[in-house]
Amino acid sequence: MSLDRDAVSHIARLARINVADGELDNLAGELSQILSFVEQLNSVDTTGVEPMVGVGSVMAPLRDDVVTDGAQAEAVVSNAPDPVGPYFGVPKVIE
Amino acid sequence: MSALSDLLRLDIASARTGLAAKDFSARELTEAYLAAADVARPLNGFITETPERALDDADAADARIQAGEAAPMTGMPIAQKDLFCTEGVKTTAASKILGGFTPPYESTVSGKLKADGAVLLGKANLDEFAMGSANITSAAGPVTNPWTPDDAPAPLTPGGSSGGSAALVAAGAVIAATGTDTGGSIRQPAALCGVVGMKPTYGRCSRWGVVAFASSLDQPGPITRSVRDAAIMLGAIAGHDPKDSTSANVPSVGFEAALAGGVKGMRVGVPREYRSDGMPEEIDALWREGVEMAKAAGAEIVDVSLPMTRMALPAYYIVALAEASSNLARYDGVRYCVREEADDLIEMYSQTRGAGFGEEVRRRILIGTYVLSAGYYDAYYKQAQKVRTLIANDFNSVFNDVDVLLAPTTPSAAFAIGEKIEDPVAMYMNDIFTVPASMAGLPAISVPAGLSAEGLPLGLQVIGRPFDEASVLKLGLALEDAAGFDRTPRLLAGAAS
Amino acid sequence: MSMIEGRDGAWEMVIGLETHAQVSSKAKLFSGASAEFGGEPNDHVAFLDAGMPGMLPVINQRCVEAAVLSGFGLNAVVNLKSIFDRKNYFYPDLPTGYQISQFSDPIVSEGWLDIELESGETKRIGVTRLHLEQDAGKSIHDQDPYRTLVDLNRAGVGLMEIVSEPDIGSAEEAAAYVTKLRGILRYLGVCDGNMEEGSLRCDVNLSMRRPGDDLGTRCEIKNVNSIRFIRQAIEFEARRQVEVLEDGGEIVQETRLFDPDRGETRSMRSKEESHDYRYFPDPDLPPLVLDQSYIDNLRAGMPELPDAKKTRFVEALGLTPYDADVLTADRDAALYFEAAAEGRDAKIVANWVTGEVFGRLNKDDVPINVAPVPASELGALIDMIKGGKISGRQAKEAFEAMWADGKSADAVVDELGLSQISDDSAIEALVDQVMQANVDKVEEYRGGKPKLIGFFVGQVMKASQGKANPASVNAMLKAKLDG
Ligand SMILES: [Mg+2]
Ligand SMILES: [Zn+2]
């Protein structure tokens, strides 16, 4: 599978990563190279094999339903680039 | 050698003895490291240095020692890989996008070392978000391998992603350091810098508070000067953490004590598929020597087969990049990190992320996004996770027959910074021997065992059963003793030059 | 299946509902922050909920329990192994860039519930699945002229998404389905069902087709937050689609919003041009594995659900199916009725609850659990009628007064002097007085005009200002006139 410019800009849009037009061809080349490398996997017969979900034989632990966290609005927004009082601020969203 | 440099040569085990015997104080030990800091600074091993914090930690450690409440890591001047969130200390993951992020919380692993009275000298450099094998993708600039010869045309890489940690330990700038290993990020730099690096079993050390790269693979671990130190430090950072759902609820004690056991009668497997075509003769030779060392120490050598070995690397890149593409979605300019202003939301996201992530990280996010996207999930991600099951099955079946596996850590010695950048896949090949154990979540250690033709360190890797770090450490110690690796890098803190 | 008459022939509605029910839990699904509604901005937020680096999720057992109980309530399969997946998309109220949900392996699948229609018949609606997932935060668009503000108090609160089969054929059926589902969840105590606060919200998937045709293209109407709005939204959207189709147009598969003020749905500017959520198992969460004994214990502790209660009310208490249905629709109403009916004539109590009580509740729009007349006092009032202390008419008067100032039945009956005269000597005095005042009529009666008895009764009641016990008056008059 080799990717063209359009495919790369579509993925970039999906990933919300701005890619300059000038970079598209180069990037398409690099990504295609990586993809053809990983595509060796298609040669493996995995019929009847379960995909690995969770490493080892672990099961999800369960937590008690008690409030142990929160009440720290200041710390929560302390690293925000554009806090508005206790809120996070972002460019206006029109719905 | 001056008394100062004597202190800088001690490993954790001997420093512990000296502190307990009051031969020197934690403050003296820390001051020795701070005084030698200038020598190591050209390596660019630290992203953030914390000398004041170090002195406070040292005084607290001395009080503890006085009170007779010292823990094994009390007073040990260390570096934390800058992937561990440290409360009140800037944490960057070597990325521009985190900007001046200062966590209001402390990771479990760094917190355990803090609680044990370890002394924080600073935050170690790394590949951006731990994505790399040469520590050249760091927004803070590359790290130089202290083994770089004077006459080298270009500085050598320390490997990655824990390149800063390994370089600092090798150069005597810290007594030990934490690292994280996703596909080899502890073992490979340790090998290239001539130090010991251990990746514990997945789930042995908590990932809580560690900036995530690939959640199903990331595992914190120690980078130290000796196998014994690795055992001591592992004991300090390991243990069940209820805040990490993937943390294993198993006892994590007695690693150092286990070393006494020795390897007599231990069955050591030699996986034939690791003998990749085009493996440099010096690596092959080192491996053969390792086998002889194990045999001489009383171990039984068994030739074993891991048929899926060749598929580990491609499967790894799909799984790791898919997880990374999702883990790094939170860096969007809303709650922390640098924002590129734009009047529309999607633009704000794209500008922020486009400018904030470095090239390799962008590449990996795009690949990861692609392999998860509609129509490709089954062919890439699902197939990779199936292959991963087969890889784990391979290991399970050989571990019915052997106790540990012995292999090289890397396919080559340290290379020059700037090599392999043009070719991402060639760069990925550095992890060919370390990735299989990562995919199966197995414990593995890299021990310096010899030198390349150019006089650069080479490492041997021991891989064990899940949660059998003890056997891994035992064979590691046997190899360390037999190899008697006592060479020091060209650049050495406190060395009379 | 109700039809819509178009210009040229009938159309059939095909509706599936996705209901998001907030789990009644103290803490969030994956963090220890409070799940309580409201709170100061970003005050119910753990660093995990804010998507801080290195933060990890741990499952709240209460949310698992709620999902399992709901599974039983919906006659569904509870899966011993389920998996949490990441649903990836970018939005300011989604701090991590992904919602932790369940995609391929939900905790509950394949259930159903029966709904009662006004026609009296019941219809079975399939439930495809129930899964656990995180709620998102809140984006506030109208507080700052240049920016959207984000409050993460809701982010990470546990939701159960309950997906129905496209078995719903009308607005009425949709309303009945939601009412029934809400009732079950409230009976189980797993969701407070408060639609105003958004504890229960529905996405309506609707398409139209000619009877017998294949499914048409559907539209999803998001977050409709009251049963009335669900009806309105469906009726409007069905009409809209029929018009488009009959004008030879095509339905665009899209997400629409219901505007309660206009009573219409409109196309919603989509969050992302291409919805590619890139689901994959969350590597921070191993599979959720439940053991059989855990599940059996939960099943053993299940409370009586509406259908069972309804059957019991009809068979054991002799209520009409209609009353039983009305009384079991809401858990609190059923509990109120059962308390009042304890040791009394259930039919009479049922009439009072469905009549007087429900009437005043609707009028004042208050929930039954805080009704000014508690079940015990309604019972006391009903006892007075039965004991002949007051008449039914007086009881209604007393009820109004009790409701108005929350006093006890005894107090009110005394204050209003509503006790009925049953003692014979008092009634005899009145009867004599009336007979003396109407000697002529007495003659007429005895002369063969028995109908006049009614006149005498009326006079006596009037003289007693309505307080005399009509039965006793009648008996006394008969005795004296005929004797
Ligand atoms: Mg929906
Ligand atoms: Zn949902």
Side-chain angles (χ1 to χ4, degrees):
Chain A
M1 180 74 196
S2 82
L3 298 173
D4 58 13
R5 292 173 60 95
D6 298 353
V8 173
S9 49
H10 170 73
I11 301 162
R13 177 110 175 141
L14 204 50
R16 295 290 188 269
I17 290 182
N18 183 58
V19 174
D21 277 4
E23 300 174 279
L24 281 174
D25 292 313
N26 186 15
L27 206 46
E30 289 171 342
L31 299 189
S32 304
Q33 188 189 356
I34 298 169
L35 284 174
S36 54
F37 167 68
V38 298
E39 275 157 9
Q40 301 171 57
L41 289 182
N42 305 339
S43 66
V44 183
D45 177 6
T46 53
T47 42
V49 179
E50 277 299 302
M52 186 182 280
V53 180
V55 185
S57 53
V58 281
M59 296 182 275
L62 298 180
R63 201 182 75 248
D64 289 344
D65 182 28
V66 286
V67 176
T68 57
D69 210 335
Q72 49 181 0
E74 256 170 56
V76 165
V77 296
S78 63
N79 280 283
D82 184 19
V84 183
Y87 296 97
F88 298 102
V90 294
K92 201 141 194 87
V93 182
I94 312 98
E95 289 236 314
Chain B
M1 270 211 221
S2 66
L4 178 90
S5 54
D6 290 345
L7 287 182
L8 296 178
R9 298 294 163 270
L10 301 173
D11 65 2
I12 292 171
S14 35
R16 180 179 53 183
T17 316
L19 286 167
K22 309 276 192 333
D23 298 343
F24 49 85
S25 69
R27 177 146 190 131
E28 286 167 327
L29 185 62
T30 300
E31 280 170 339
Y33 277 98
L34 292 176
D38 312 359
V39 184
R41 200 159 287 124
L43 297 177
N44 195 32
F46 281 114
I47 288 179
T48 306
E49 294 182 44
T50 56
E52 305 79 8
R53 158 79 180 269
L55 290 172
D56 297 347
D57 291 350
D59 293 339
D62 280 324
R64 234 176 122 151
I65 296 165
Q66 288 302 332
E69 292 158 359
M73 291 299 291
T74 304
M76 302 300 165
I78 60 163
Q80 294 283 359
K81 187 180 185 178
D82 203 23
L83 203 61
F84 292 86
C85 290
T86 41
E87 185 170 8
V89 179
K90 196 161 65 93
T91 301
T92 71
S95 180
K96 241 165 68 193
I97 204 159
L98 269 158
F101 178 64
T102 304
Y105 48 89
E106 182 85 25
S107 82
T108 298
V109 162
S110 58
K112 278 168 169 279
L113 288 165
K114 195 177 178 187
D116 274 10
V119 173
L120 183 69
L121 290 172
K123 305 292 297 289
N125 202 342
L126 65 149
D127 279 298
E128 182 177 10
F129 285 103
M131 295 182 189
S133 311
N135 213 122
I136 52 177
T137 70
S138 168
V143 175
T144 299
N145 189 322
W147 288 80
T148 305
D150 296 317
D151 57 2
L156 301 182
T157 153
S161 68
S162 310
S165 300
L168 289 168
V169 174
V174 300
I175 199 166
T178 53
T180 60
D181 192 310
T182 304
S185 286
I186 286 175
R187 292 160 287 165
Q188 184 253 11
L192 269 44
C193 293
V195 294
V196 174
M198 178 158 207
K199 170 202 149 2
T201 309
Y202 182 82
R204 174 70 84 176
C205 298
S206 171
R207 295 185 299 112
W208 193 87
V210 184
V211 177
F213 162 13
S215 311
S216 74
L217 294 150
D218 297 344
Q219 182 55 206
I223 295 178
T224 58
R225 292 180 193 170
S226 67
V227 173
R228 180 166 300 275
D229 283 9
I232 296 170
M233 193 165 170
L234 177 61
I237 63 175
H240 178 238
D241 181 2
K243 293 190 293 195
D244 176 357
S245 295
T246 63
S247 166
N249 196 350
V250 294
S252 291
V253 290
F255 298 118
E256 187 182 8
L259 292 173
V263 298
K264 217 164 252 15
M266 184 183 279
R267 291 175 61 80
V268 177
V270 179
R272 66 179 78 102
E273 288 79 6
Y274 277 57
R275 186 159 278 101
S276 65
D277 21 282
M279 172 188 272
E281 167 52 26
E282 63 185 5
I283 301 294
D284 205 341
L286 177 81
W287 194 5
R288 288 194 304 269
E289 287 161 35
V291 169
E292 290 315 313
M293 298 180 204
K295 211 183 280 173
E300 274 177 66
I301 306 303
V302 186
D303 175 68
V304 298
S305 169
L306 297 165
M308 277 297 142
T309 301
R310 264 188 59 252
M311 291 300 153
L313 200 56
Y316 167 82
Y317 272 93
I318 289 175
V319 172
L321 273 44
E323 292 181 7
S325 71
S326 178
N327 282 335
L328 273 61
R330 67 190 58 202
Y331 305 104
D332 58 7
V334 173
R335 291 161 317 281
Y336 43 85
C337 62
V338 199
R339 172 187 300 180
E340 297 289 319
E341 288 302 343
D343 38 20
D344 139 1
L345 187 62
I346 295 185
E347 267 311 292
M348 187 277 278
Y349 284 145
S350 304
Q351 298 293 350
T352 297
R353 292 165 58 78
F357 292 130
E359 267 185 38
E360 178 62 18
V361 172
R362 278 170 51 184
R363 243 192 319 255
R364 295 192 182 202
I365 292 175
L366 293 176
I367 291 284
T369 303
Y370 178 75
V371 298
L372 288 175
S373 64
Y376 300 104
Y377 177 83
D378 289 354
Y380 288 104
Y381 185 80
K382 202 160 190 186
Q383 173 73 351
Q385 289 291 35
K386 287 177 177 176
V387 169
R388 194 175 178 184
T389 300
L390 294 175
I391 293 167
N393 295 347
D394 276 5
F395 279 109
N396 292 340
S397 52
V398 300
F399 280 129
N400 293 328
D401 185 30
V402 300
D403 302 306
V404 293
L405 296 165
L406 176 61
T409 309
T410 61
S412 74
F415 48 94
I417 291 173
E419 267 179 58
K420 308 184 185 180
I421 307 182
E422 297 321 312
D423 179 353
V425 174
M427 186 62 87
Y428 296 172
M429 288 299 171
N430 287 296
D431 300 329
I432 188 151
F433 298 139
T434 48
V435 151
S438 303
M439 291 298 273
L442 304 173
I445 196 168
S446 176
V447 177
L451 294 175
S452 71
E454 307 81 43
L456 299 173
L458 296 171
L460 282 174
Q461 177 181 208
V462 181
I463 302 167
R465 296 191 184 95
F467 302 105
D468 186 18
E469 279 84 355
S471 300
V472 171
L473 288 161
K474 276 189 243 175
L475 183 56
L477 181 65
L479 296 170
E480 182 180 55
D481 292 344
F485 187 89
D486 56 2
R487 308 287 290 280
T488 53
R490 185 193 55 77
L491 188 150
L492 194 55
S497 49
Chain C
M1 186 69 61
S2 79
M3 300 287 175
I4 282 197
E5 268 317 310
R7 249 186 274 116
D8 42 21
W11 292 87
E12 199 174 86
M13 260 189 240
V14 180
I15 301 168
L17 292 178
E18 288 170 25
T19 309
H20 286 90
Q22 183 191 326
V23 176
S24 309
S25 63
K26 297 189 196 69
K28 294 184 177 181
L29 178 52
F30 297 114
S31 86
S34 169
E36 198 186 320
F37 182 80
E40 291 301 303
N42 286 314
D43 202 45
H44 297 175
V45 178
F47 295 131
L48 175 86
D49 309 315
M52 292 292 182
M55 296 297 95
L56 298 172
V58 182
I59 304 169
N60 180 339
Q61 62 90 16
R62 166 59 183 162
C63 298
V64 173
E65 181 183 289
V68 172
L69 288 172
S70 305
F72 292 144
L74 295 170
N75 315 290
V77 179
V78 173
N79 299 309
L80 291 181
K81 182 180 180 189
S82 63
I83 292 170
F84 284 95
D85 298 284
R86 292 184 180 181
K87 179 182 184 179
N88 296 280
Y89 65 92
F90 289 87
Y91 206 65
D93 59 19
L94 187 69
T96 49
Y98 56 84
Q99 175 197 36
I100 305 179
S101 182
Q102 295 188 300
F103 184 55
S104 52
D105 301 83
I107 184 168
V108 170
S109 44
E110 296 156 35
W112 53 263
L113 56 74
D114 286 337
I115 57 173
E116 288 72 25
L117 304 175
E118 278 142 33
S119 63
E121 79 211 88
T122 71
K123 177 176 178 180
R124 180 155 297 182
I125 306 296
V127 171
T128 316
R129 57 186 277 148
L130 176 154
H131 68 253
L132 286 166
E133 64 181 25
Q134 299 173 296
D135 201 350
K138 198 163 95 234
S139 296
I140 303 157
H141 306 296
D142 54 9
Q143 259 187 43
D144 183 292
Y146 311 108
R147 285 165 300 188
T148 290
L149 308 187
V150 181
D151 172 10
L152 298 178
N153 282 352
R154 311 289 312 142
V157 167
L159 302 178
M160 297 184 285
E161 178 172 338
I162 302 149
V163 182
S164 87
E165 291 288 311
D167 295 345
I168 299 166
S170 68
E172 185 209 343
E173 290 178 18
Y177 169 87
V178 176
T179 308
K180 185 61 169 286
L181 177 60
R182 180 174 179 275
I184 292 169
L185 298 178
R186 283 171 50 78
Y187 269 70
L188 292 168
V190 296
C191 172
D192 66 20
N194 185 328
M195 296 186 89
E196 297 70 46
E197 289 183 357
S199 310
L200 197 76
R201 351 188 253 264
C202 287
D203 301 341
V204 180
N205 289 287
L206 184 148
S207 66
M208 303 302 294
R209 68 173 167 193
R210 293 293 191 185
D213 283 7
D214 298 341
L215 284 178
T217 309
R218 63 184 177 79
C219 293
E220 180 176 28
I221 312 161
K222 278 230 172 283
N223 286 339
V224 194
N225 65 356
S226 92
I227 291 173
R228 200 172 93 255
F229 292 164
I230 290 171
R231 283 175 172 276
Q232 294 176 0
I234 290 174
E235 261 135 27
F236 176 89
E237 180 63 13
R239 283 273 157 227
R240 185 190 71 87
Q241 288 189 19
V242 166
E243 275 166 33
V244 172
L245 292 165
E246 292 194 329
D247 296 347
E250 278 200 349
I251 300 299
V252 208
Q253 176 152 7
E254 62 176 351
T255 304
R256 299 177 68 85
L257 276 180
F258 177 69
D259 178 342
D261 310 323
R262 290 220 182 75
E264 60 187 38
T265 71
R266 57 183 154 80
S267 184
M268 182 177 166
R269 159 195 295 229
S270 96
K271 283 179 185 178
E272 191 182 315
E273 66 287 344
S274 62
H275 285 284
D276 185 347
Y277 291 127
R278 289 158 286 136
Y279 283 98
F280 74 107
D282 189 336
D284 287 330
L285 289 166
L288 173 60
V289 179
L290 308 174
D291 62 307
Q292 193 58 47
S293 63
Y294 168 83
I295 289 189
D296 296 342
N297 290 338
L298 286 179
R299 173 165 254 150
M302 291 274 289
E304 185 182 38
L305 294 178
D307 288 347
K309 239 187 221 309
K310 184 183 166 189
T311 316
R312 184 166 58 82
F313 283 5
V314 173
E315 288 169 3
L317 305 183
L319 302 193
T320 64
Y322 178 79
D323 280 356
D325 195 41
V326 175
L327 286 168
T328 51
D330 176 68
R331 175 160 165 272
D332 293 340
L335 295 180
Y336 183 98
F337 165 75
E338 288 181 282
E342 184 65 53
R344 301 192 175 88
D345 181 328
K347 292 200 219 53
I348 292 174
V349 177
N351 290 336
W352 273 89
V353 175
T354 55
E356 259 57 32
V357 179
F358 283 6
R360 294 300 265 110
L361 289 174
N362 294 335
K363 190 150 162 269
D364 305 6
D365 185 30
V366 289
I368 193 162
N369 53 326
V370 296
V373 177
S376 54
E377 286 310 310
L378 178 65
L381 190 64
I382 291 169
D383 290 341
M384 292 186 194
I385 306 170
K386 189 143 190 306
K389 187 162 188 301
I390 57 174
S391 67
R393 195 180 54 55
Q394 292 175 318
K396 295 202 160 60
E397 193 182 333
F399 178 84
E400 289 300 320
M402 288 161 72
W403 191 280
D405 47 28
K407 292 216 176 89
S408 73
D410 281 328
V412 168
V413 167
D414 292 351
E415 281 174 26
L416 300 180
L418 287 177
S419 61
Q420 175 170 253
I421 305 171
S422 310
D423 110 67
D424 291 354
S425 57
I427 291 176
E428 183 169 19
L430 291 169
V431 169
D432 293 342
Q433 175 193 320
V434 169
M435 285 172 73
Q436 280 149 28
N438 304 279
V439 183
D440 49 343
K441 294 267 189 314
V442 173
E443 289 315 316
E444 285 181 43
Y445 175 91
R446 291 187 172 139
K449 277 207 178 144
K451 286 205 189 64
L452 277 169
I453 186 77
F455 162 80
F456 288 108
V457 172
Q459 293 298 306
V460 175
M461 289 310 288
K462 190 158 165 237
S464 75
Q465 291 125 31
K467 291 184 186 177
N469 179 328
S472 337
V473 170
N474 218 308
M476 181 73 62
L477 275 166
K478 273 194 170 321
K480 297 224 165 207
L481 290 165
D482 303 348

